[in-house]
């Protein structure tokens, strides 16, 4: 089991490095090719939009062997990235958008596939710890990979970044092949049906899975809603240079790495719902701290939010892995990703509009919504043996 745990952490490190490096460079590359900031921003939308198709894409994981599918998706992603070598000028900008969309689809399949594979490779008591370590690995790469990708782009151009990023899924596919699975999830159809609605029904009919996913959805949506507000607090309220946003990003990333290292023990001791409640409340406290007119509290708020946000995500993922029937784990995992990340599509533009009222109202609103959700769900959460 320890061998498998190490492989999963290595997978998270490699995939996190490749995706984080390319996600930044894609926007820079489009900006250089077209001179359009709006087109550059659309690269990010191409990555996140496919999560809305999670309930449909997740069904593939329940109808086909999961490990071969995840390996194949990684290899196809590598091929798609190498197609960027054909980009020579503005006329090939569509290729960058196409590869961004391919990244988005692969995220849905790989994230859900990995969530479904973990219970087949690890003991139930290890899931929380390994999910936390994976979260720390991914957050750590977000601190390193964008700088590495941008530096390589400035030195050798987009083609070099494409080759480096393509190498990552090839290595990841190799590590997936080395996993030792102690059980093979059944692929038989169940009496629950096979449509996309099945994922939602299974996910939310049990409070033990529905409540952590709901908490994660609220916290993640509010993280997108407050993005513009944080920018405005730094620039207009604290009157600091925009480069200070990098300090906040690093502070939040450091909190996420630290939080990921300890969340597994908390889940084992308190359960996923309790950890989701605590994480949501911590994120709310982080939002309020960033409203104060003193830059050290803004940094501290970023660290606290960085701890809380991954706790809600890891708690939700662990709950899904623990309480979902194996035959349905693929589509339920993908549906959970849609429920948790889909609201970002609306939350980010709403937050950008709300910031016109003022820099702090979006942060206060987000804190109030998160605290309300934490209190309401904390008061009604199921007991340790209650579904």
């Amino acid at each position: 089991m320890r061998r498998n745990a190490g492989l999963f952490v290595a997978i998270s490190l490699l995939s996190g490095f490749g995706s984080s490096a390319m996600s930044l460079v894609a926007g820079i590359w489009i900006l250089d090719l077209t001179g359009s900031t709006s087109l550059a921003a659309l690269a990010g939308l191409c990555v996140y939009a496919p999560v809305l198709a999670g309930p449909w894409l997740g069904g593939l994981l329940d109808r086909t062997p999961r490990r071969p599918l995840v390996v194949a998706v990684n290899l196809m992603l590598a091929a798609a990235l190498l197609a960027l070598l054909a980009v020579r000028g503005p006329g090939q900008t569509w290729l960058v958008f196409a590869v961004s969309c391919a990244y988005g689809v692969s995220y849905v399949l790989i994230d859900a596939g990995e969530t479904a594979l973990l219970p087949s490779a690890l003991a139930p008591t290890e899931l929380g710890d390994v999910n936390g370590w994976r979260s720390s690995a991914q957050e750590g790469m977000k601190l390193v990979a964008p700088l590495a990708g941008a530096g390589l782009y400035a030195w050798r151009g987009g083609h070099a970044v494409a080759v480096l990023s393509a190498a990552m899924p090839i290595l990841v596919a190799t590590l997936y092949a080395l996993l030792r699975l102690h059980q093979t999830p059944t692929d038989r159809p169940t009496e629950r049906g096979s449509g996309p609605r099945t994922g939602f029904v299974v996910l939310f009919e049990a409070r033990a899975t529905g409540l952590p996913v709901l908490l994660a959805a609220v916290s993640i949506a509010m993280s997108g809603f407050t993005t513009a507000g944080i920018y405005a607090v730094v620039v207009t309220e604290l009157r600091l240079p925009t480069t200070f946003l990098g300090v906040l990003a690093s502070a939040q990333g450091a909190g996420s790495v630290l939080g990921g290292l300890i969340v597994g023990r908390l889940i084992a001791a308190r359960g996923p719902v309790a950890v989701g409640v605590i994480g949501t409340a911590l994120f709310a406290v982080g939002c309020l701290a960033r409203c104060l007119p003193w830059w050290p509290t803004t940094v501290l708020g970023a660290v606290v939010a960085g701890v809380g946000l991954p706790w809600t995500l890891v708690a939700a993922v662990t709950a899904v892995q623990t309480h979902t029937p194996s035959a349905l784990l693929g589509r339920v995992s993908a549906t959970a990703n849609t429920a948790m990340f889909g609201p970002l599509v609306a939350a980010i533009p709403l937050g950008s509009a709300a910031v016109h009222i003022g820099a702090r109202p979006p942060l206060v609103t987000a804190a109030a919504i998160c605290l309300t959700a934490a209190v309401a769900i904390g008061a009604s959460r199921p007991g340790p043996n209650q579904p």
Side-chain angles (χ1 to χ4, degrees):
M1 295 300 177
R2 287 292 176 183
R3 177 179 182 273
N4 283 344
L7 286 173
F8 275 116
V9 173
I11 286 169
S12 295
L13 285 169
L14 292 172
S15 59
F17 182 88
S19 61
S20 296
M22 196 64 215
S23 62
L24 175 64
V25 168
I28 298 173
W29 203 350
I30 291 172
L31 182 60
D32 285 345
L33 289 170
T34 66
S36 171
T37 55
S38 59
L39 284 177
L42 285 177
L45 181 61
C46 290
V47 172
Y48 285 109
V51 76
L52 299 175
W56 289 268
L57 292 173
L60 292 173
L61 293 161
D62 293 330
R63 293 194 295 270
T64 59
R66 289 166 184 163
R67 177 161 54 181
L69 179 61
V70 173
V71 169
V73 170
N74 273 283
L75 294 178
M76 287 189 288
L77 176 60
L81 285 162
L82 291 176
L84 292 175
L85 296 176
V87 175
R88 300 296 176 186
Q92 290 82 45
T93 303
W94 66 271
L95 267 175
V96 184
F97 284 114
V99 171
S100 296
C101 288
Y103 246 123
V105 174
S106 71
Y107 284 161
V108 175
L109 289 170
I110 293 171
D111 285 354
E114 190 167 312
T115 299
L117 280 173
L118 274 160
S120 300
L122 302 171
T125 54
E126 293 181 305
L127 289 174
D129 280 331
V130 175
N131 284 329
W133 298 339
R134 290 169 58 228
S135 174
S136 292
Q138 291 164 354
E139 293 299 326
M141 287 301 98
K142 290 178 183 178
L143 300 178
V144 176
L147 291 175
L152 182 59
Y153 179 85
W155 179 41
R156 303 296 294 175
H159 294 157
V161 181
V163 171
L164 175 64
S165 297
M168 297 301 107
I170 294 174
L171 294 174
V172 166
T174 302
L175 295 182
Y176 276 124
L178 294 175
L179 288 171
R180 294 173 181 168
L181 303 184
H182 62 78
Q183 63 182 24
T184 302
T186 178
D187 295 317
R188 294 193 306 269
T190 70
E191 67 276 8
R192 294 177 182 269
S194 58
R197 180 175 175 272
T198 302
F200 284 103
V201 172
V202 175
L203 181 63
F204 290 107
E205 72 177 353
R207 297 167 69 196
T209 53
L211 294 183
V213 169
L214 180 59
L215 286 166
V218 170
S219 300
I220 293 170
M222 290 303 99
S223 71
F225 182 76
T226 57
T227 299
I230 293 169
Y231 290 175
V233 164
V234 169
V235 175
T236 64
E237 301 295 329
L238 298 178
R239 299 187 182 280
L240 294 170
T242 55
T243 51
F244 188 74
L245 292 168
V247 175
L248 294 185
S250 296
Q252 183 165 335
S256 296
V257 171
L258 175 63
L261 294 176
I262 61 178
V263 67
R265 295 181 181 180
L266 281 177
I267 291 174
R270 304 292 300 274
V273 179
V275 173
V277 168
I278 296 170
T280 303
L282 283 175
F283 181 75
V285 171
C287 289
L288 293 176
R290 285 180 281 192
C291 291
L292 299 176
W294 193 39
W295 72 262
T297 61
T298 304
V299 175
L300 179 61
V303 174
V304 172
V307 172
L309 193 60
W311 281 10
T312 65
L313 179 59
V314 172
V317 170
T318 304
V320 169
Q321 291 168 335
T322 304
H323 297 286
T324 302
S326 178
L328 298 169
L329 193 49
R331 78 193 70 185
V332 173
S333 299
T335 301
N337 284 341
T338 298
M340 292 186 290
F341 292 98
L344 278 173
V345 176
I348 293 174
L350 284 174
S352 298
V355 79
H356 292 290
I357 302 172
R360 293 188 174 93
L363 291 163
V364 174
T365 300
I369 291 173
C370 287
L371 287 174
T372 300
V375 170
I377 291 177
S380 65
R381 68 186 178 92
N385 299 316
Q386 182 179 348

